[in-house]
Amino acid sequence: MKFLGLAGVFFICFNVPALAASGASPFSGRWDLTMTRDQESYPDWMEFAEEGPSGVVRVVGRTGSVHPAKDVKAAGSHLTFTSSEGAWDLTATGHKLVGHLRGNDGDVQVSGASAPALKRAAPAAWGTPEPLFDGKDLAGWEVDDPSKTYWSAQNGELRNEKGGANIRTTRKFDDFKLHIEYNCPPGGNSGVYLRGRYEVQVEYEPPAKNDQFHRIGSIYGFIAPAAELPKRPGEWESYDVTLVGRTVTVIRDGVKIIDQQEIPGITGGALDSHEADPGPIYLQGDHTGGLRYRNITISLPQR
């Protein structure tokens, strides 16, 4: 995912459980949003914290990174603010939100629901790893735009020759352990989306282009890797990712870089905002070409 270069994204310290318990505002907490314009719908995400005179809001749009909103005004069940997407006007009713976004491309209808906590205990054991890619063809995978796909199976590798379409598994998953090996060229930008909603960044762009929350190994925009490993563009590397609820652990090339951290919400480019539902493994292919993936396996809980 490309970084939009928005400053000050990470200065906010949210205490969502405490805020939600206080009942001070019907907007407190996290919200999974569905945006609808004409016949098209897409996901967004919002978090509201009771700080300052009117509260603090951060949002994730259709693409890009989490970022703070401006001009926040909350009064009872009515909330307005502006973001890079436009001007928002929302009303809270119970655990639901309704309203609209007035953007550059016209009005978008907004509906939202309180994001699920997804607090689940880790399984006692995991099953035997199952291959998601047989190395021979694209069986079990589908692209989001067949007219722009450059994905193919070659020599045991899932290759994207040119930026165009994204690709995902036809199967959907809840909790899992994923192993995936990737080869990212210099200047490459891709990502591995967990349940189609949370991006583990894959990139070898110039160092000045991305901060630690948007570099390789991050949960895009939300969680920075705890360790920075040597850059290896054009070489094979690996991720081992465990996702239980919204708690994630990421091991990169045998080094644990994220250890049981909570993912606050969907990242830009997510397929939907229905966080309680299973979702696919989804590989980003619409940014740059030259990405190669192989040895993709998944282990499911034994409960």
Side-chain angles (χ1 to χ4, degrees):
M1 176 64 66
K2 298 278 187 192
F3 178 35
L4 296 184
L6 295 166
V9 173
F10 305 103
F11 74 96
I12 302 170
C13 180
F14 285 84
N15 189 352
V16 174
L19 292 169
S22 72
S25 170
F27 295 100
S28 291
R30 299 165 178 165
W31 297 87
D32 288 338
L33 307 178
T34 298
M35 319 292 285
T36 305
R37 180 175 55 210
D38 300 326
Q39 301 300 313
E40 180 188 23
S41 65
Y42 60 90
D44 271 35
W45 177 89
M46 182 187 87
E47 186 171 41
F48 181 97
E50 191 77 14
E51 295 182 4
S54 294
V56 179
V57 171
R58 63 176 180 171
V59 293
V60 173
R62 188 175 193 174
T63 61
S65 182
V66 61
H67 57 281
K70 300 178 181 178
D71 307 316
V72 178
K73 296 181 176 64
S77 61
H78 188 221
L79 172 67
T80 61
F81 60 88
T82 60
S83 75
S84 60
E85 294 176 274
W88 298 69
D89 190 312
L90 302 175
T91 300
T93 305
H95 297 290
K96 303 290 185 181
L97 293 182
V98 294
H100 67 269
L101 164 67
R102 184 159 295 161
N104 296 330
D105 299 326
D107 281 2
V108 181
Q109 298 303 306
V110 182
S111 63
S114 296
L118 300 181
K119 292 188 180 296
R120 296 196 283 262
W126 295 92
T128 302
E130 308 171 38
L132 294 180
F133 171 58
D134 65 10
K136 301 175 183 177
D137 54 39
L138 300 184
W141 295 80
E142 59 186 358
V143 295
D144 58 10
D145 187 346
S147 69
K148 296 181 180 178
T149 183
Y150 303 98
W151 291 96
S152 63
Q154 300 181 42
N155 300 322
E157 301 171 5
L158 184 56
R159 296 185 180 182
N160 185 34
E161 302 297 339
K162 181 180 177 181
N166 305 310
I167 193 168
R168 72 190 81 162
T169 59
T170 55
R171 291 175 62 190
K172 296 183 178 182
F173 306 98
D174 202 344
D175 298 338
F176 57 79
K177 294 184 74 170
L178 173 72
H179 175 83
I180 186 167
E181 298 174 12
Y182 59 91
N183 188 313
C184 181
N189 185 301
S190 180
V192 179
Y193 280 74
L194 315 175
R195 296 194 202 114
R197 301 184 188 105
Y198 314 120
E199 181 187 10
V200 186
Q201 175 75 303
V202 176
E203 61 83 31
Y204 273 130
E205 296 180 308
K209 194 176 180 90
N210 299 308
D211 65 21
Q212 60 182 337
F213 287 88
H214 302 85
R215 289 181 187 146
I216 189 167
S218 64
I219 303 298
Y220 190 80
F222 280 124
I223 305 173
E228 187 168 342
L229 303 184
K231 297 182 182 299
R232 296 172 53 195
E235 299 183 25
W236 285 104
E237 303 181 69
S238 66
Y239 283 142
D240 288 280
V241 182
T242 302
L243 183 65
V244 177
R246 60 173 73 250
T247 299
V248 66
T249 295
V250 179
I251 297 173
R252 177 183 166 204
D253 293 339
V255 177
K256 188 177 292 184
I257 59 172
I258 296 175
D259 187 8
Q260 298 190 72
Q261 297 293 302
E262 181 185 59
I263 305 175
I266 65 170
T267 59
L271 296 175
D272 62 50
S273 59
H274 308 310
E275 292 190 85
D277 295 346
I281 303 302
Y282 150 47
L283 305 180
Q284 193 173 57
D286 61 357
H287 283 358
T288 66
L291 273 295
R292 298 151 65 191
Y293 292 94
R294 69 181 185 187
N295 295 336
I296 308 170
T297 64
I298 200 160
S299 301
L300 303 179
Q302 291 185 335
R303 299 191 185 273

